[in-house]
Amino acid sequence: QVQLVESGGGLVQAGGSLRLSCAASGRTVTSYTLGWFRQTPGKERAFVGSISRSGIITNYADSVKGRFTISRDNAKNMVYLQMNSLKPEDTAVYYCAADLSRGTTARTVDFWGQGTQVTVSS
């Protein structure tokens, strides 16, 4: 079992920055690809980015490339999402995810955090 707890969400102006954190716990956390998804009411939960077990390989949705950066600290069992140049379209609940399959779809996610709200104002 892996438990995930997100933090760092809030209200930020367009063009600003925010860093989300996810604390992971469990005996096998390092076996998982970790990632971030986001969701707005009535919409499908969408992939944002992921990072490999080693922290070397990252993958991003086209909509956030060049603006968001995922990092991982395995010594602390933490994963981060640094969000820069935020846009109102980035407003969503952001979820941390753990996935043994290395996938980029919500269908294969093994464990989810409870989510943290990010609101970007105009």
Side-chain angles (χ1 to χ4, degrees):
Q1 298 291 321
V2 174
Q3 295 81 45
L4 304 168
V5 180
E6 304 96 334
S7 63
L11 176 64
V12 64
Q13 293 183 346
S17 297
L18 202 62
R19 187 178 75 163
L20 304 183
S21 300
C22 175
S25 61
R27 295 191 297 109
T28 59
V29 171
T30 55
S31 297
Y32 291 82
T33 295
L34 299 178
W36 292 91
F37 292 74
R38 63 188 182 185
Q39 187 171 27
T40 55
K43 303 289 186 180
E44 183 177 310
R45 192 168 295 186
F47 174 75
V48 175
S50 65
I51 187 165
S52 66
R53 296 187 297 274
S54 66
I56 295 172
I57 302 170
T58 56
N59 193 13
Y60 299 96
D62 288 342
S63 59
V64 305
K65 284 182 179 177
R67 300 190 298 121
F68 291 10
T69 303
I70 291 175
S71 60
R72 179 173 186 163
D73 185 343
N74 284 338
K76 298 180 179 179
N77 282 340
M78 297 287 293
V79 62
Y80 306 95
L81 182 67
Q82 178 66 47
M83 304 183 293
N84 298 325
S85 301
L86 282 162
K87 305 174 181 179
E89 307 93 271
D90 296 317
T91 296
V93 177
Y94 283 71
Y95 296 89
C96 186
D99 194 339
L100 284 172
S101 72
R102 306 181 187 92
T104 57
T105 173
R107 298 187 192 94
T108 64
V109 170
D110 296 294
F111 301 101
W112 294 100
Q114 67 179 2
T116 185
Q117 176 71 47
V118 173
T119 302
V120 184
S121 65
S122 300

